[in-house]
Amino acid sequence: MLSRHIASKFDSVIRNILLRAEAPSGEVMTPRLGRLEDAETRLEQRCARVVQALPSDEKAVLCLTYGLTGQAPCPPHRAADLLGWGLAQTLTIGEAAILRLRNAASARAAFEPLLESLHPKLLVAADEIYEMRLAEIPKPQRNKVLKRFWCELAPLERLALRGYGEGEVEEMRVALEKRASGRLI
């Protein structure tokens, strides 16, 4: 039996695949790609070292699903095909990798500053979505802002938000709270 968290991720992946298949090619946003070895900033380099230190099976799943190889991120079912594993095994290994990143002190020390550095970008997207909500712009158009934000991130930034953090929407809420309390300008 799949956990509720894994099942919801699976549903989300399937929905995204279907939406991408139905959209005209000019409307499909492609994530910014970069290889793990080409981490640019010192923060990204620290995070890259943490990911490279993971067991090979966990690193393989993260690299494929977050695009850390310089190729487009692939959904878990495609990663399972590439690795020759079953979908449940791939999802389980991916969740184990995320748990390892969340619970290891060295991973927290590497990813927390990267997550903090993303808060200004999160604030811009959150403000834009808030203004659209006030103008009563439909949710599908607001979702495009979030998708554009997601595609403009580097692969390690995506991993920090989706894997290490609580997800881009929750991190936006945290960033807004920090700004309201004066801890983030």
Side-chain angles (χ1 to χ4, degrees):
M1 181 88 173
L2 290 175
S3 74
R4 185 181 327 178
H5 179 69
I6 292 174
S8 69
K9 278 191 171 186
F10 185 72
D11 288 343
S12 176
V13 167
I14 297 297
R15 190 175 359 18
N16 287 336
I17 290 169
L18 294 173
L19 289 175
R20 287 178 67 103
E22 293 173 1
S25 60
E27 291 183 16
V28 176
M29 292 178 259
T30 305
R32 190 177 96 184
L33 303 177
R35 292 181 342 173
L36 189 60
E37 296 81 17
D38 297 337
E40 297 173 3
T41 66
R42 187 174 301 174
L43 289 175
E44 288 179 350
Q45 291 169 356
R46 287 178 62 196
C47 295
R49 283 194 293 274
V50 169
V51 172
Q52 288 172 335
L54 290 171
S56 61
D57 57 346
E58 293 178 3
K59 183 171 66 172
V61 171
L62 290 181
C63 285
L64 288 171
T65 57
Y66 287 95
L68 300 175
T69 58
Q71 298 179 8
C74 60
H77 73 278
R78 179 73 179 123
D81 290 344
L82 291 171
L83 295 169
W85 301 337
L87 179 60
Q89 181 183 6
T90 304
L91 290 172
T92 303
I93 291 171
E95 290 297 317
I98 297 301
L99 287 174
R100 187 182 306 273
L101 290 176
R102 286 184 179 165
N103 294 323
S106 62
R108 279 196 311 276
F111 278 96
E112 283 177 359
L114 181 61
L115 203 53
E116 290 292 321
S117 72
L118 286 173
H119 279 180
K121 291 180 186 178
L122 289 164
L123 287 172
V124 170
D127 285 341
E128 187 175 350
I129 291 169
Y130 179 71
E131 292 296 324
M132 292 173 82
R133 187 174 286 159
L134 288 177
E136 297 181 1
I137 294 176
K139 187 174 181 178
Q141 290 178 337
R142 294 192 312 254
N143 286 343
K144 287 182 181 180
V145 172
L146 198 55
K147 182 70 172 180
R148 185 181 68 234
F149 164 77
W150 183 253
C151 288
E152 290 172 355
L153 294 175
L156 279 169
E157 292 172 331
R158 284 194 296 272
L159 177 60
L161 280 174
R162 186 65 59 80
Y164 180 75
E166 298 298 321
E168 63 270 24
V169 174
E170 181 63 21
E171 289 299 331
M172 281 183 185
R173 188 188 60 74
V174 171
L176 289 168
E177 287 175 0
K178 285 184 177 183
R179 183 174 69 184
S181 68
R183 295 183 296 171
L184 186 67
I185 297 173

